[in-house]
């Protein structure tokens, strides 16, 4: 039984149209948003939710897959306006979401700046400045690998490190659906690992793809690419083969 909706958010990025795909999981008692886009995306989220007769006010929980700015940029603004929403994240990622620890993406950008060609440095510096503006928010519930959250027919936490150490994907057994976040992306209709050049640990990222392939999944949702149309398990096997 399907108990979720994709919420594609279309926006302009560097002169090009881009789409991010948060997911809404819901039942009679809970409305749970998975990831929330860049800073300033609250109106886009409200418009997407309105198509399902809901709003940010309807949310009870917000699961953050990891602390990249395109996944949690709007988090602090949402929490300020709707403090009843519980923020949920993996135990390894929570310190970066609540601001206890410095963003790993920011550390990565800063550490590679000097090695860049001079022509690339202005853009890199602008990216660093942008990451430094990201607001943080408290995490009310810490989750761990294989934990089953008792809402909306059950939501299993899958720890899928690589892109970031605390990255999580979700499995919805009632609909045999994986919400992969950035563990995999869809590029030209084919699955791939998200931004290999920015992935903090490729060996872990490949192992995470293997983990996803162990689930009985008929549907796969990527934050970058939306719903995968095809044989999920076969596509994950092909992705693994391309890297191993």
């Amino acid at each position: 039984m399907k108990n979720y909706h994709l919420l594609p958010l279309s926006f302009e990025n560097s002169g090009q149209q881009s789409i991010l795909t948060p997911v809404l999981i819901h039942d009679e008692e809970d409305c749970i948003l998975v990831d929330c886009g860049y800073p300033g995306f609250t109106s886009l989220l409200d418009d997407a939710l309105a198509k399902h007769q809901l709003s940010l006010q309807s949310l009870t929980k917000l699961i953050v897959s990891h602390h990249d700015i395109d996944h949690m940029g709007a988090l602090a603004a949402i929490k300020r306006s709707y403090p009843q929403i519980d923020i949920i994240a993996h135990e390894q990622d929570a310190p970066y979401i609540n601001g206890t620890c410095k963003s790993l993406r920011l550390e990565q950008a800063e550490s590679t700046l000097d090695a860049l060609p001079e022509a690339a440095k202005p853009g890199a510096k602008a990216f660093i400045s942008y990451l430094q503006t990201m607001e943080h928010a408290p995490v009310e519930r810490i989750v761990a690998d294989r934990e089953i959250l008792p809402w909306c027919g059950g939501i299993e936490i899958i720890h899928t490190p690589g892109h970031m150490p605390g990255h999580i994907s979700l499995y919805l057994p009632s609909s045999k659906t994986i919400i992969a976040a950035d563990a995999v992306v869809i590029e030209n209709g084919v699955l791939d690992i998200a931004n290999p050049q920015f992935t903090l640990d490729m060996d872990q990222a490949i192992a995470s793809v293997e983990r996803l392939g162990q689930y009985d999944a008929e549907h796969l949702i990527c934050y970058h690419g939306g719903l995968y149309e095809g044989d999920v398990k076969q596509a994950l096997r092909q992705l693994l083969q391309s890297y191993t």
Side-chain angles (χ1 to χ4, degrees):
M1 179 183 70
K2 180 180 173 182
N3 59 347
Y4 62 84
H5 295 290
L6 279 66
L7 303 176
L9 307 179
S10 180
F11 63 103
E12 189 173 296
N13 182 22
S14 301
Q16 295 184 331
Q17 282 301 117
S18 297
I19 297 176
L20 301 179
T21 310
V23 180
L24 176 72
I25 311 169
H26 63 93
D27 62 9
E28 293 78 11
E29 296 181 2
D30 279 293
C31 286
I32 304 169
L33 182 64
V34 184
D35 291 329
C36 58
Y38 284 105
F41 268 37
T42 51
S43 60
L44 287 177
L45 285 165
D46 252 333
D47 289 345
L49 287 164
K51 295 176 181 178
H52 305 284
Q53 293 74 54
L54 297 166
S55 68
L56 289 171
Q57 178 70 47
S58 309
L59 297 181
T60 57
K61 300 170 180 71
L62 201 161
I63 298 174
V64 182
S65 65
H66 64 292
H67 69 277
D68 266 331
I69 195 168
D70 58 331
H71 292 255
M72 65 158 284
L75 184 64
I78 292 171
K79 183 65 175 177
R80 272 196 301 273
S81 297
Y82 309 101
Q84 79 280 3
I85 300 173
D86 286 337
I87 310 301
I88 299 162
H90 188 267
E91 54 193 347
Q92 286 183 242
D93 219 61
Y96 303 101
I97 294 169
N98 66 28
T100 304
C101 295
K102 183 177 181 179
S103 163
L104 294 176
R105 192 66 69 207
L106 178 56
E107 285 188 354
Q108 181 188 38
E110 290 174 338
S111 68
T112 57
L113 179 62
D114 290 340
L116 292 174
E118 287 301 319
K121 286 184 179 179
K125 289 178 180 178
F127 180 58
I128 288 169
S129 296
Y130 184 49
L131 291 180
Q132 289 171 336
T133 67
M134 187 166 66
E135 293 185 273
H136 301 93
V139 177
E140 279 87 12
R141 177 158 180 162
I142 302 295
V143 293
D145 186 40
R146 299 191 182 278
E147 183 174 348
I148 308 294
L149 303 177
W151 315 305
C152 304
I155 302 170
E156 181 175 346
I157 301 298
I158 314 172
H159 184 209
T160 44
H163 189 73
M164 278 197 174
H167 186 285
I168 55 173
S169 302
L170 309 175
Y171 179 62
L172 311 180
S174 61
S175 58
K176 297 185 177 181
T177 299
I178 292 173
I179 301 174
D182 277 1
V184 291
V185 297
I186 303 172
E187 296 280 359
N188 300 316
V190 178
L191 294 185
D192 201 352
I193 287 175
N195 292 324
Q197 69 273 30
F198 297 124
T199 294
L200 297 184
D201 189 318
M202 275 299 293
D203 288 340
Q204 284 190 340
I206 293 166
S208 290
V209 173
E210 186 173 13
R211 286 204 68 197
L212 293 179
Q214 295 169 3
Y215 283 79
D216 181 16
E218 296 178 358
H219 313 284
L220 175 70
I221 303 168
C222 301
Y223 195 65
H224 303 277
L227 181 66
Y228 179 74
E229 303 287 352
D231 185 325
V232 171
K233 293 182 77 66
Q234 176 62 20
L236 290 170
R237 282 194 295 267
Q238 290 175 344
L239 173 55
L240 270 178
Q241 290 169 2
S242 71
Y243 278 92
T244 57

